[in-house]
Amino acid sequence: MVTIADVARHAGVSSSTVSYVLSGKRAISEETRRRVRSSVRELGYHPNAGARALAARRSHIIALMVPLRTDVYVPVMMEIAIAVTTAARQHGYDVLLITNDEGPDGVRRIAASGLADGLILMDVELDDERIPVLRAQGTQATLIGLADDARGLSCVDHDFVAAGALCADHLADLGHREIAFIGYGSGVYHRHAGYAERTLAGFRDRAGQRGLRFLHRTCEGTYESTAGTLARVLADRPGTTGFVVQNEGAIGPLLTLLRAGGRTVPEDASVIALCQAQLAEQFAPRLTAVTGSAQELGRVAVEQIVGRLAVASDGGRPDDHQALLTPTLTVRESTGPLTPRS
């Protein structure tokens, strides 16, 4: 069986250096890390999880609390979960998936069982009730999302305020002045999901600065609910020419309904979505979209929790840290200059 000493000899480093690379407990140069990881792959080395846990009183497992809700877009959540799992393996950690329908009780269960060294929480609400439990248990954690009070924790998220502002600026630059913001279902806003509320806040502030008139309507994302939402929008603001959609399920129905109603995209109505690039490319016309990298989100979350665990294992107190990832606007065929209707 290949040992850590075998890997060290193969890579030309000390055994402790190999250990630091695998655990993330010390800052190691990128060149050395690549050499060690190459040796690990070439030799087929697999750390003995049981021995590591006994020696270090650590499981080398990270628990990832994944949302399973009807009002979230599961493909994006799974993409983030896969990114977390991949990044964790590069740091010598396995990932235990738990569902957030357990809420605070799930956090208590993981903390009490010792199954995981730390937690990564997804689908964070502004007043998330899991956070006080994390503090009370003294559990090391990283949030994928921003809470109003995240003292003592690390957070990473897309900059949804900036994303909302990008949407407003793009439509304003094209000359649109009457905008409809079609959001997620009402339940998302009632539970104060950070990604939804921050996007809306960013859009609202920039719309005010740019002199846009807009209305926000919730939508459940089905064809029927999208039809009802669009009908109400046009009844209240018949001059609406710009649509911002933060609801993956509503995109396809909206495009179909606009076309059926005699509004050609983008000649009569411009549509910009907040969604992943793969989804934006699937529609006709292809969607102008504001996106963020799920892979980067997962990678940063893992680096944060691994760093916290390393500091804590050395007897230190991890610093609070917040990272916001810059969104990207990609212009495609679904938006264009305002054309006055004759």
Side-chain angles (χ1 to χ4, degrees):
M1 184 174 63
V2 179
T3 68
I4 200 169
D6 296 328
V7 174
R9 281 193 297 272
H10 190 273
V13 298
S14 67
S15 296
S16 60
T17 297
V18 175
S19 178
Y20 293 148
V21 170
L22 295 177
S23 68
K25 287 181 63 176
R26 294 284 191 277
I28 303 295
S29 72
E30 184 59 31
E31 179 183 353
T32 301
R33 281 194 298 169
R34 282 199 300 267
R35 197 160 70 246
V36 170
R37 287 172 182 165
S38 176
S39 295
V40 167
R41 288 192 300 271
E42 187 171 340
L43 297 177
Y45 172 69
H46 297 285
N48 185 307
R52 282 192 310 177
L54 288 173
R57 295 185 181 273
R58 294 169 61 184
S59 66
H60 284 265
I61 292 174
I62 295 169
L64 175 63
M65 190 168 266
V66 180
L68 290 179
R69 302 178 186 270
T70 57
D71 58 9
V72 301
Y73 188 60
V74 174
V76 170
M77 295 300 176
M78 289 299 99
E79 191 174 354
I80 296 171
I82 291 170
V84 167
T85 303
T86 302
R89 286 305 313 139
Q90 293 173 351
H91 287 275
Y93 283 84
D94 291 310
V95 173
L96 171 67
L97 294 181
I98 55 176
T99 59
N100 69 351
D101 58 349
E102 294 186 71
D105 288 339
V107 174
R108 292 189 188 94
R109 179 172 65 83
I110 294 299
S113 67
L115 282 172
D117 297 328
L119 284 89
I120 297 177
L121 271 58
M122 297 174 63
D123 194 31
V124 174
E125 299 170 4
L126 298 182
D127 53 353
D128 203 298
E129 60 183 0
R130 296 170 295 180
I131 291 176
V133 179
L134 288 171
R135 292 200 184 99
Q137 299 288 336
T139 304
Q140 296 302 326
T142 289
L143 312 180
I144 297 182
L146 302 183
D148 284 338
D149 181 8
R151 290 173 293 110
L153 304 170
S154 294
C155 308
V156 58
D157 205 0
H158 299 305
D159 191 340
F160 286 105
V161 172
L166 280 174
C167 294
D169 279 335
H170 180 64
L171 292 176
D173 290 343
L174 292 172
H176 298 277
R177 290 296 176 266
E178 296 278 355
I179 314 297
F181 189 111
I182 298 177
Y184 289 108
S186 58
V188 173
Y189 299 93
H190 288 160
R191 61 184 173 84
H192 302 297
Y195 56 87
E197 295 208 358
R198 292 181 189 279
T199 304
L200 182 59
F203 180 85
R204 179 186 291 114
D205 290 348
R206 189 57 55 86
Q209 295 169 17
R210 298 298 300 268
L212 306 181
R213 284 214 320 158
F214 89 97
L215 44 77
H216 169 238
R217 294 291 182 266
T218 60
C219 180
E220 299 304 320
T222 64
Y223 184 91
E224 292 76 14
S225 63
T226 307
T229 297
L230 179 60
R232 289 190 295 273
V233 166
L234 296 180
D236 294 339
R237 299 275 178 85
T240 298
T241 60
F243 293 85
V244 177
V245 187
Q246 190 181 25
N247 184 329
E248 292 87 351
I251 295 171
L254 176 65
L255 294 173
T256 299
L257 289 160
L258 287 171
R259 190 180 304 114
R263 293 175 182 251
T264 304
V265 176
E267 288 81 0
D268 301 318
S270 284
V271 178
I272 181 171
L274 294 114
C275 68
Q276 293 301 96
Q278 302 94 311
L279 184 62
E281 293 278 354
Q282 293 176 10
F283 294 99
R286 296 185 311 144
L287 286 173
T288 293
V290 175
T291 62
S293 170
Q295 291 79 11
E296 184 73 359
L297 201 63
R299 183 188 65 80
V300 173
V302 169
E303 289 184 350
Q304 286 184 342
I305 189 63
V306 168
R308 295 184 67 88
L309 292 171
V311 171
S313 68
D314 286 341
R317 180 178 179 180
D319 294 331
D320 301 0
H321 184 66
Q322 182 183 106
L324 285 177
L325 307 183
T326 304
T328 301
L329 168 66
T330 302
V331 179
R332 298 185 180 89
E333 293 87 14
S334 68
T335 55
L338 175 65
T339 303
R341 305 189 75 180
S342 57

